[in-house]
Structure formats: C-alpha cells, structure tokens
Amino acid sequence: MSRPSQRDLTGQESLSIDQEIAALLNEIEREKVPDRLTKLAIELQNALIQKRRCAPQD
C-alpha cells in the first residue's frame, strides 16, 4: 500500500477544519445571543467566505 502524500494530508486536514468551522458557524446561528456577538459572528462568517473565494483550488 502506498502512503498518502503530505499534500493529500494537508488537503484532508484543511477540509476537516472547514467542516468544523461550518459546524461551529451553524451552532452560532442557532443560539440566542447578544446583538454584538451576532454581529461579530457574521463578520467572521463573511471573512471566512472571502478567504475561500480567494483560496487557490487544488
């Protein structure tokens, strides 16, 4: 059997992190929270979306 390359592991780790971030953002959206925290969460979500748009595709 061949071992996955370091690049493959990095891609898998990145996907896992993206899934974790998405899950956390979904949880944040479900919680009743102060307006300031909601605003910060939306800003974080927008920044992550922008990062994904600028990230090079493999």
Side-chain angles (χ1 to χ4, degrees), residues 11-28:
Q12 290 171 356
E13 290 170 356
S14 179
L15 180 59
S16 176
I17 290 169
D18 285 345
Q19 290 171 338
E20 184 177 349
I21 289 169
L24 288 169
L25 289 172
N26 284 333
E27 289 298 317
I28 288 170

Side-chain angles (χ1 to χ4, degrees), residues 26-38:
N26 284 333
E27 289 298 317
I28 288 170
E29 290 172 353
R30 290 184 196 147
E31 290 293 319
K32 296 218 182 249
V33 294
D35 289 341
R36 174 74 176 140
L37 186 54
T38 300

